């Protein structure tokens, strides 16, 4: 066996070395030329010794990305970051006064293929020397963390010219997107410069003297020049570590101890690194979600979730492990990012299993939050999640929301969240899944043999698969071709269990036809595991037969690291008819698949008729989406002393692939008051088709179809019109589109409504343009027309110019039937969208334009103009203008009318304060959506 391992290692090493006999040599010399008014500029002389290329050499000029309208700028805008778009000229980066020379000092012509790729015309059959001389305008560090800042710090990475990478003879085109996904050749670097007086230099190159630094077979290097000792250099037995985030000097002995242990663990798998390991806050932000930092609580100061010793160890862990794998594994960081990122996460899990096996993710909160001897967090399973399992739950959430992507998705095409959740967490869990299948000892042997091979070329997945399969003597095509290349949801179901002739006959459904292995566990009546076995079959239906040895409960994959789509169907209890018992909880929690969970949440609401409403919400909704969700929310109305509330059941489908991300069906009923002592009863059935948008696209759109049956109480001595409005049914079909681009925000919708009383069409388009850092111009167009209207004696179904006609009871109106008073002044941006009180409706057509223009901070000017028409009346034009204060934009705003078709409103008869309108949005679902903008996509 040892000879076999040596043969495999030697073969791959030979192939790797023979593919690239020599590697690039790059020598960089620069002088710092800083001026306060123009930022920081470097005078650069850069010499390249490169492998021969046909006709031309190519170089990346990523410093040119630091300008408006670049690929980087658009990426930032899609992440709702507009700093580069509105940057000052002195804060931007770029390469200027560029010239190329050959080894005879003859100038070489060049051209820009694009703003970040340069083509240098030169023929060479042997290794070639090319020299570039240029001015490097260093960007300010507010955009990516790289560059200069006002404290005199300079942090250099991805700014100097970089020799291009070639694949199959073609240049690999790469734009700088601030994703840390760029790929470069293994290069020997020589860097020389004279540091400014009073500064220190920190770099992952090896220091030769105060002016010279060397790097051996590195893809990239980074240099930090600081006037103060902001970084700490810690020397362990085998490595030198640069800590690029603040650490108190008093903590250095503890930090050193943790680094010794973590590096010792890494050296079990990797060869010790010769160059310093650079760990920075920038890298920590890329990895994200460690959740160990102290929390700042207003008025109370900092709260320590973990004690200082544990916090320091966990802060360093992901950054160090990621830096190690980044330095040791050479892959195409765009297409094969999952290899090094996954191994980094996998090794972190292994380290946590060894040294922090039962550390709760809630840390000290579990014991610190209490009342006498009552510890409320003990009631929540989420609080008992172990720190090492956080990767599982973050990926599980992405999977449940149907945001999962294949691991082979190029890094820059992963959604914002998935750059961490998929590239790091899912891939790390996949390697952990492989470990469970082949065994921990075999996995350790495999990784040690594999990671100690020095590859001088980009490593490909096919090479890894060949090595893994040869080493383990197993067919691992399910891992590399199914689990890695697709986003099939692992979804096994134990559909039935029968006892026949001393055997237990199980039927297992493989809903996604996933070809990988699954593990079946059996438990006795004392919940002791007495049976475990691996099975593998890509077939949709699988029949198993095992000995009846006292097993009373079965589970599938309940102890595997990679989550399934729906664990609730992975358990089968042969003794309980309902299969899953009911478990009660409060508020919400993570899913416990062995139980049917019901959560109880107190609720409070208010309107002018019910006054305060207090009640409880009974729901099965957990912290992650589910296929079936229900809620029942009875409330006591203090204004009427009656019971109100409603209930709804929803069935969600999450298609794997295709154009639909989520398809929901629901049915519900609602009982509330629309006027004093008058209630409505509403039945509704509906369906929503949420389309899948390309990841990293800000476009969202969906179709909605719903049917409403509404019955209203009648007052004493009702009029004929009130009798007509007692009972009505309505079908509503609509399309919604929105794009939350930070510069060009757009929303649009179109609806068709029909009943036995009327049919109408209406829609709106909203556009908001951010033309400077804190100023946005907004324009909204609304248009609606009745196809017919059989009940013209009432304005109940009309389009409202300044008050919405909410006959479907969709909006949270505090005084929907009020015609005067403070609650009548509530404003909803719907239908006409006017702010002045015209009390006008339209039963034929209505078309309006709404404008908003920023003045200063919260203050904006608004103007509305429109045309409306009622049947058998002439059309009318109206307008209004005024000032608004956006205290919490989109959620709490005030509107002060000034000039309108009514006149100069501040001097009109009556109380001006009754003309002031307010917007109050208490829809917490909207708040949640606002905070999620751009998160997964």
């Amino acid at each position: 066996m040892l000879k076999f391992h040596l043969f495999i290692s030697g073969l791959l090493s030979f192939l790797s070395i023979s593919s690239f006999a020599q590697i690039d040599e790059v020598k960089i010399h620069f002088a710092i030329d800083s001026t306060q008014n123009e930022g920081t500029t470097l005078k650069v002389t850069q010499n390249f010794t490169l492998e021969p290329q046909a006709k031309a050499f190519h170089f990346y000029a990523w410093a040119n990305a630091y300008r408006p309208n670049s690929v980087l700028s658009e990426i930032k805008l899609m992440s709702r970051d507009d700093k580069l778009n509105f940057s000052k000229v002195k804060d931007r980066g770029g390469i200027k006064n560029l010239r190329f020379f050959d080894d005879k000092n003859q100038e070489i012509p060049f051209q820009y293929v694009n703003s970040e790729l340069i083509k240098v015309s030169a023929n060479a059959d042997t290794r070639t020397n090319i020299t570039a001389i240029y001015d490097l305008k260093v960007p300010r560090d507010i955009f990516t963390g790289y560059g200069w800042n006002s404290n005199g710090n300079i942090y250099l990475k991805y700014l100097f010219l970089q020799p291009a990478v070639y694949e199959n003879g073609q240049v690999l085109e790469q734009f700088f997107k601030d994703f840390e996904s760029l790929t470069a050749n293994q290069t020997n670097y020589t860097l020389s410069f004279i540091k400014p007086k009073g500064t220190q230099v920190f770099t992952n190159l090896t220091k030769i003297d105060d002016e010279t630094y060397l790097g051996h077979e590195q893809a990239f290097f980074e240099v930090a020049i600081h006037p103060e000792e902001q970084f700490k250099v810690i020397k362990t037995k085998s490595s030198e570590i640069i800590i690029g985030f603040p650490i108190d000097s008093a903590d250095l002995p503890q930090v050193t101890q943790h680094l010794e242990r973590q590096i010792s663990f890494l050296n079990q798998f990797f060869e010790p690194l010769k160059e310093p390991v650079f760990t920075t806050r920038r890298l920590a932000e890329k990895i994200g979600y460690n959740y160990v930092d102290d929390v700042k609580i207003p008025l109370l100061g900092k709260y320590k979730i973990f004690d200082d010793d544990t916090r320091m160890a966990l802060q360093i862990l992901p950054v160090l492990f990621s830096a190690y794998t980044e330095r040791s594994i050479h892959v195409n960081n765009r297409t094969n990012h999952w290899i090094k990122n996954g191994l980094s996460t996998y090794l972190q899990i292994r380290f946590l299993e060894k040294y922090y096996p039962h550390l709760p993710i809630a840390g000290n909160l579990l014991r610190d939050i209490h009342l006498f001897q009552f510890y409320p967090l003990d009631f929540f399973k989420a609080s008992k999640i172990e720190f090492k399992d956080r990767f599982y739950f973050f990926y599980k959430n992405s999977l449940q929301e149907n945001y999962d992507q294949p691991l082979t998705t190029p890094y820059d095409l992963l959604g914002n969240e998935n750059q961490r959740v998929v590239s790091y967490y899912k891939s790390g869990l996949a390697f952990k899944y492989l470990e469970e299948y082949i065994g921990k000892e075999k996995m350790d042997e495999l990784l040690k043999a594999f990671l100690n091979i020095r590859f001088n070329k980009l490593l490909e997945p096919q090479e890894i698969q060949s090595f893994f399969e040869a080493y383990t003597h197993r067919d691992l095509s399910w891992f590399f071709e199914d689990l890695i290349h697709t986003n099939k949801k692992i979804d096994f179901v134990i559909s039935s269990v029968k006892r026949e002739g001393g055997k237990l006959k199980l039927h297992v459904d493989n809903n996604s036809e996933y070809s990988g292995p699954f593990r079946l566990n059996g438990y006795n009546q004392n919940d002791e595991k007495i049976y475990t076995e691996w099975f593998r079959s890509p077939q949709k239906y699988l029949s198993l037969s095992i000995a009846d040895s006292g097993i009373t409960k079965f589970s599938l994959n309940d102890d595997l690291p990679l989550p399934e789509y729906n664990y609730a169907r992975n358990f089968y209890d042969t003794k309980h008819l309902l299969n899953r018992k009911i478990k009660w909880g409060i508020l919400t929690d993570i899913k416990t698949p062995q139980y049917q969970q019901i959560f109880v949440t107190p609720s409070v609401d208010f309107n002018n008729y019910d006054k305060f409403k207090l009640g409880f919400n009974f729901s099965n909704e957990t912290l992650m989406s589910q296929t079936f969700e229900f809620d029942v929310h009875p409330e006591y109305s203090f204004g009427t002393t009656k019971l109100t509330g409603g209930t709804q059941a929803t069935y969600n489908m999450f298609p794997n692939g295709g154009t639909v991300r989520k398809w929901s069906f629901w049915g519900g009923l609602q009982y509330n008051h629309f006027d004093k002592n008058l209630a409505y009863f509403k039945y509704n059935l509906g369906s929503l088709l949420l389309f899948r948008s390309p990841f990293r696209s800000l476009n969202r759109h969906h179709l909605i179809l719903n049917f409403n049956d509404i019955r209203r109480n009648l007052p004493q001595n009702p009029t004929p019109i009130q009798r007509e409005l007692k009972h009505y049914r309505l079908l509503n079909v609509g399309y919604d589109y929105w794009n939350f681009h930070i510069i060009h925000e757009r929303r649009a919708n179109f609806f068709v409504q029909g009943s036995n009383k009327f049919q109408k069409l209406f829609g709106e388009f909203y556009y908001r343009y951010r033309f400077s850092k804190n100023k946005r111009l907004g324009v909204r167009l609304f248009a609606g027309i009745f196809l017919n209207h059989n009940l013209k004696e009432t304005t109940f179904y009309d389009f409202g110019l300044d008050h919405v006609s909410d006959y479907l009871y969709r909006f949270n109106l505090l005084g929907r039937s009020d015609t005067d008073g403070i609650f009548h002044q509530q404003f909803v941006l719907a239908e006409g969208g006017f702010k002045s009180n015209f009390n006008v409706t339209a039963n034929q057509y209505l078309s309006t334009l709404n404008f908003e223009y920023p003045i200063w901070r919260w203050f904006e000017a608004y103007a509305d103009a429109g045309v409306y028409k009622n049947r058998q009346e002439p059309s009318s034009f109206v307008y209004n203008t005024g000032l608004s204060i956006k205290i919490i934009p989109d959620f709490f705003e005030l509107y002060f009318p000034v000039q309108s078709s009514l006149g100069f409103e501040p001097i009109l008869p009556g109380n001006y304060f009754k003309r002031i309108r307010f917007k109050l949005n208490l829809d917490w679902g909207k708040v949640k959506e606002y905070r999620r903008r751009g998160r997964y996509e």
Side-chain angles (χ1 to χ4, degrees), residues 66-67 72 76 80-93 137-151 153-155 159 176 178 282 285 773:
Y66 290 89
R67 57 179 177 79
L72 174 63
K76 292 295 183 181
R80 303 187 65 78
D81 180 350
D82 60 4
K83 290 193 289 291
L84 184 55
N85 188 75
F86 294 119
S87 62
K88 298 177 181 178
V89 174
K90 75 169 188 175
D91 295 337
R92 301 169 188 170
K137 179 69 173 61
V138 180
R140 197 170 179 182
D141 66 358
I142 57 175
F143 310 123
T144 65
Y146 302 127
W148 65 272
N149 62 30
S150 57
N151 296 324
N153 300 328
I154 303 176
Y155 188 6
L159 294 175
F176 179 64
D178 195 28
R282 178 72 181 79
E285 290 172 353
K773 180 65 178 177

Side-chain angles (χ1 to χ4, degrees), residues 302-463:
K302 287 186 177 180
Y303 173 76
K304 296 182 180 297
I305 299 178
F306 297 96
D307 61 77
D308 289 339
D309 186 63
T310 302
R311 175 181 54 78
M312 285 186 289
L314 299 180
Q315 275 181 331
I316 297 167
L317 179 69
V319 187
L320 178 65
F321 279 50
S322 184
Y324 240 80
T325 53
E326 180 74 34
R327 180 66 183 88
S328 303
I329 302 174
H330 192 213
V331 297
N332 185 319
N333 290 330
R334 181 175 183 265
T335 56
N336 297 322
H337 52 89
W338 61 272
I339 299 172
K340 61 182 180 62
N341 293 345
L343 286 172
S344 171
T345 302
Y346 167 74
L347 292 173
Q348 287 179 59
I349 296 172
R350 290 288 304 276
F351 182 86
L352 292 170
E353 287 177 338
K354 182 175 182 180
Y355 295 105
Y356 300 92
H358 304 298
L359 178 69
I361 196 171
N364 299 326
L365 286 170
L366 281 174
R367 298 297 93 188
D368 286 351
I369 297 180
H370 65 92
L371 181 63
F372 300 107
Q373 296 300 313
F374 175 69
Y375 297 90
L377 292 185
D378 286 344
F379 289 91
F380 298 94
K381 185 178 179 182
S383 68
K384 299 179 179 65
I385 295 175
E386 294 177 349
F387 193 80
K388 67 178 186 296
D389 295 327
R390 72 192 191 282
F391 308 108
Y392 173 95
F393 285 98
F394 279 122
Y395 171 60
K396 173 73 170 176
N397 185 61
S398 177
L399 179 68
Q400 292 295 109
E401 295 285 350
N402 207 11
Y403 285 115
D404 189 23
Q405 292 177 265
L407 287 171
T408 51
T409 304
Y411 192 82
D412 56 348
L413 297 182
L414 291 171
N416 284 336
E417 191 90 342
N418 283 346
Q419 288 187 343
R420 300 182 183 98
V421 172
V422 169
S423 181
Y424 281 88
Y425 304 167
K426 178 183 179 180
S427 55
L429 295 170
F431 282 112
K432 183 64 178 173
Y433 182 16
L434 180 63
E435 175 213 292
E436 292 283 344
Y437 182 61
I438 67 175
K440 183 177 290 188
E441 291 185 5
K442 177 62 71 174
M443 189 70 172
D444 285 353
E445 293 176 8
L446 173 64
L447 289 182
K448 290 174 185 177
F450 175 71
L451 294 175
N452 279 280
I453 300 172
R454 296 291 290 179
F455 292 95
N456 290 330
K457 69 182 188 68
L458 296 179
L459 184 61
E460 295 296 333
Q462 297 85 350
E463 296 171 324

Side-chain angles (χ1 to χ4, degrees), residues 814-837:
L814 302 177
R816 63 178 62 251
S817 298
D818 289 9
T819 57
D820 196 8
I822 183 65
F823 299 119
H824 182 63
Q825 295 171 235
Q826 183 179 2
F827 170 74
V828 175
L829 185 59
E831 298 183 349
F834 270 56
K835 287 78 179 179
S836 294
N837 282 309

Side-chain angles (χ1 to χ4, degrees), residues 17-57:
I17 294 170
S18 62
S19 299
F20 278 74
Q22 300 185 62
I23 62 176
D24 294 340
E25 304 276 347
V26 175
K27 298 178 180 180
I28 303 172
H29 175 79
F30 68 85
I32 301 174
D33 179 18
S34 298
T35 61
Q36 185 175 4
N37 295 328
E38 299 298 327
T40 299
T41 299
L42 307 183
K43 301 290 187 179
V44 182
T45 301
Q46 194 166 355
N47 178 265
F48 306 91
T49 303
L50 307 173
E51 289 296 293
Q53 300 293 339
K55 297 183 180 180
F57 293 89

Side-chain angles (χ1 to χ4, degrees), residues 243-256:
I243 305 295
F245 39 87
I247 291 179
D248 292 336
S249 298
D251 295 331
L252 284 178
Q254 288 176 289
V255 173
T256 303

Side-chain angles (χ1 to χ4, degrees), residues 202-224:
F202 303 92
T203 178
N204 58 348
L205 301 174
T206 300
K207 181 178 179 180
I208 303 302
D209 54 47
D210 286 343
E211 298 181 4
T212 309
Y213 303 84
L214 299 181
H216 179 65
E217 295 184 15
Q218 292 182 222
F220 298 104
F221 68 90
E222 45 198 310
V223 177

